[in-house]
Amino acid sequence: MEKVKLINKYAAGFVSDSDIAAMTPRAVEAMQKLHAKTGEGKDFLGWVTLPTDYDRNEFSRIKTAAEYIRKNCDILIVIGIGGSYLGARAVIEALKSPNYNALTNDTPQIYFIGNTISPSMVTELVSLCENKDICINVISKSGTTTEPAIAFRIFRDVVYRKYSPEEASKRIFCTTDREKGTLKKLADEQGYETFVVPDDVGGRYSVLTAVGLLPIAVAGIDIDAFMRGAQSAQKNLNSEDISENDCLRYAAIRNCFYEAGKKLECFISYEPCMTMFNEWLKQLFAESEGKDGKGLYPVSCIFSTDLHSVGQYIQESGGALMFETCLKFNTPLDDFTITEQEGNIDGLNFLAGKKMSLVNEKARQGTLLAHTEGGVANLIIESEGITEEAIGYMIYFFEKSCAISGYILGVNPFNQPGVESYKKNMFALLGKPGYESEKEKLEKELGIC
Ligand code: PA5
């Protein structure tokens, strides 16, 4: 397949070849650590070989379950948060559309819940399920995360109200730990089919496991082609020659920017179908690198949409703060030709006969030149089309770059200790048994009598 390429010539005025050369030994050492499994978090490196070394039997069960779900329901409810939903949603929206639910007629609608505690979102989805056949895929590696656990409680009730216990148990699919945790226990007791989040694969690196693959397959996406893309990335991105290995070079350049004082990396796309992919990238990089007071803060923009909101800031004040990484696709999912109009009242006949993709590309080129001139460096990750292979390739490309980048930065890219703080406070404030002493203290701080 045509590989995904990193183009860094628009960063050259900001990060020089000698900066990259100086960073190269650290980047190579970081990659060696990853390959030799000698770095921090070395017990969470299952994703490195996952594209080739995965459970074939489970992969085939995923396809069978996806077929069953497609045949037996109008709506699939996917319950999960963070790494347990972002990857699947990112891939489905990239390859189908953000409007997938409105457009689909031969595969179920897919709604993601359990990624928020918003009562209105839950209420809305419960009512969308009325008079519809539904299935649930609940995804939680730990099996104890509060947001998905509450959503599962609610939607499990919905399923049991609609169907007999025997039928209900066929409509619930659990993706969780191989043997431990509340969810695994419940699934075994109730006879729900289970899929495994391998012990050595953390949430945000789990798209290529059942976590991502089951919902992706239900949406009618070819998961064999998707895995082929990741396999090709696994094979291509090993060289210690930084001019040959785009993944290594990208990791090195982001650290050059970081050490030169940049605070933000802005992931850009000119295709709204990549909005959720950018959200996946934000989680991947923020949770992997943002610790010990370090790390670039990942943000996302869809252009040209956001050129009319934050574009002003980026152009005139962004340079000192950030650089941009644009995910560029040479061919869109679909295209549209602009028509000629009699009278040319809107003055747009000069575009007649031209494709919208051409206008979008000219917007990209114009923005690239304007932003670099305004002091905002640009990296481009370029792919020919938005295909299963390309997206599979990109997932692996970014996972590996992120891990290398984290090691260069000197953090453990595979833990997320900071995520626990809000949970502790929330449990105390809700009166969870075991948190009594904290409750009083926190309520006093909040001024709650
Ligand atoms: O990347 C991660 O590890 C996290 O984002 C988790 O996926 C997220 O917190 C959900 O955890 P769990 O799958 O255990 O419910």
Side-chain angles (χ1 to χ4, degrees), residues 81-84 140-142 145 203-204 283 287 416:
I81 195 164
S84 289
S140 178
K141 184 175 182 183
S142 62
T145 309
R204 56 193 175 275
Q283 190 222 354
E287 254 186 18
Q416 54 283 330

Short mmCIF file of all heavy atoms in Angstrom, two decimals, residues 81-84 140-142 145 203-204 283 287 416, ligand 1:
data_model
loop_
_atom_site.label_atom_id
_atom_site.label_comp_id
_atom_site.label_asym_id
_atom_site.label_seq_id
_atom_site.Cartn_x
_atom_site.Cartn_y
_atom_site.Cartn_z
N ILE A 81 -15.49 4.70 27.89
CA ILE A 81 -14.95 6.07 28.02
C ILE A 81 -13.46 6.05 27.71
O ILE A 81 -12.80 5.00 27.83
CB ILE A 81 -15.23 6.64 29.44
CG1 ILE A 81 -15.01 8.16 29.49
CG2 ILE A 81 -14.39 5.94 30.52
CD1 ILE A 81 -15.61 8.84 30.72
N GLY A 82 -12.91 7.19 27.29
CA GLY A 82 -11.48 7.29 27.00
C GLY A 82 -11.09 6.31 25.91
O GLY A 82 -11.74 6.18 24.87
N GLY A 83 -10.01 5.56 26.20
CA GLY A 83 -9.52 4.59 25.22
C GLY A 83 -10.53 3.50 24.91
O GLY A 83 -10.37 2.77 23.93
N SER A 84 -11.56 3.38 25.71
CA SER A 84 -12.55 2.32 25.48
C SER A 84 -13.67 2.75 24.54
O SER A 84 -14.63 2.00 24.36
CB SER A 84 -13.11 1.83 26.82
OG SER A 84 -12.12 1.09 27.49
N SER A 140 -14.88 -2.02 28.99
CA SER A 140 -14.14 -1.44 30.10
C SER A 140 -13.07 -2.43 30.52
O SER A 140 -13.38 -3.55 30.94
CB SER A 140 -15.08 -1.14 31.27
OG SER A 140 -14.35 -0.63 32.36
N LYS A 141 -11.82 -2.02 30.35
CA LYS A 141 -10.72 -2.93 30.70
C LYS A 141 -10.78 -3.27 32.19
O LYS A 141 -10.74 -4.41 32.58
CB LYS A 141 -9.38 -2.30 30.33
CG LYS A 141 -8.23 -3.25 30.59
CD LYS A 141 -6.90 -2.71 30.15
CE LYS A 141 -5.84 -3.79 30.42
NZ LYS A 141 -4.51 -3.39 30.12
N SER A 142 -10.90 -2.21 33.01
CA SER A 142 -10.92 -2.43 34.45
C SER A 142 -12.25 -3.04 34.88
O SER A 142 -12.32 -3.76 35.86
CB SER A 142 -10.72 -1.10 35.18
OG SER A 142 -11.80 -0.23 34.85
N THR A 145 -14.96 1.35 35.84
CA THR A 145 -15.00 2.80 35.60
C THR A 145 -16.45 3.30 35.75
O THR A 145 -17.39 2.71 35.19
CB THR A 145 -14.45 3.13 34.20
OG1 THR A 145 -13.18 2.47 34.07
CG2 THR A 145 -14.27 4.61 33.99
N GLY A 203 -5.73 1.13 27.52
CA GLY A 203 -6.93 1.61 26.84
C GLY A 203 -6.65 2.40 25.56
O GLY A 203 -7.20 2.09 24.50
N ARG A 204 -5.78 3.40 25.65
CA ARG A 204 -5.60 4.28 24.48
C ARG A 204 -4.77 3.64 23.37
O ARG A 204 -4.62 4.21 22.31
CB ARG A 204 -5.00 5.62 24.91
CG ARG A 204 -3.70 5.53 25.66
CD ARG A 204 -3.36 6.87 26.31
NE ARG A 204 -2.17 6.79 27.14
CZ ARG A 204 -2.16 6.39 28.41
NH1 ARG A 204 -3.27 6.01 28.99
NH2 ARG A 204 -1.03 6.37 29.09
N GLN A 283 -6.36 12.33 23.18
CA GLN A 283 -6.26 11.46 24.35
C GLN A 283 -4.93 10.69 24.35
O GLN A 283 -4.25 10.60 25.38
CB GLN A 283 -7.41 10.45 24.38
CG GLN A 283 -7.45 9.71 25.71
CD GLN A 283 -7.71 8.22 25.62
OE1 GLN A 283 -7.98 7.70 24.55
NE2 GLN A 283 -7.66 7.55 26.73
N GLU A 287 -2.71 11.79 27.54
CA GLU A 287 -2.61 10.83 28.64
C GLU A 287 -1.24 10.16 28.68
O GLU A 287 -0.78 9.72 29.73
CB GLU A 287 -3.71 9.76 28.53
CG GLU A 287 -4.80 9.96 29.54
CD GLU A 287 -5.86 8.87 29.58
OE1 GLU A 287 -5.64 7.75 29.08
OE2 GLU A 287 -6.93 9.15 30.14
N GLN A 416 -1.47 6.58 33.68
CA GLN A 416 -2.29 7.79 33.71
C GLN A 416 -2.71 8.08 35.15
O GLN A 416 -3.89 8.13 35.46
CB GLN A 416 -3.51 7.70 32.77
CG GLN A 416 -4.45 6.50 32.94
CD GLN A 416 -3.91 5.22 32.37
OE1 GLN A 416 -3.16 5.22 31.39
NE2 GLN A 416 -4.25 4.11 33.00
O1 PA5 B 1 -6.20 4.96 27.97
C1 PA5 B 1 -6.66 4.62 29.05
O2 PA5 B 1 -6.13 3.73 29.73
C2 PA5 B 1 -7.92 5.25 29.58
O3 PA5 B 1 -8.39 6.23 28.75
C3 PA5 B 1 -9.02 4.19 29.74
O4 PA5 B 1 -9.29 3.60 28.51
C4 PA5 B 1 -10.29 4.80 30.32
O5 PA5 B 1 -10.01 5.44 31.52
C5 PA5 B 1 -11.35 3.75 30.52
O6 PA5 B 1 -10.90 2.72 31.36
P1 PA5 B 1 -11.60 1.34 31.39
O7 PA5 B 1 -11.49 0.70 30.05
O8 PA5 B 1 -10.88 0.54 32.45
O9 PA5 B 1 -13.05 1.56 31.77
#
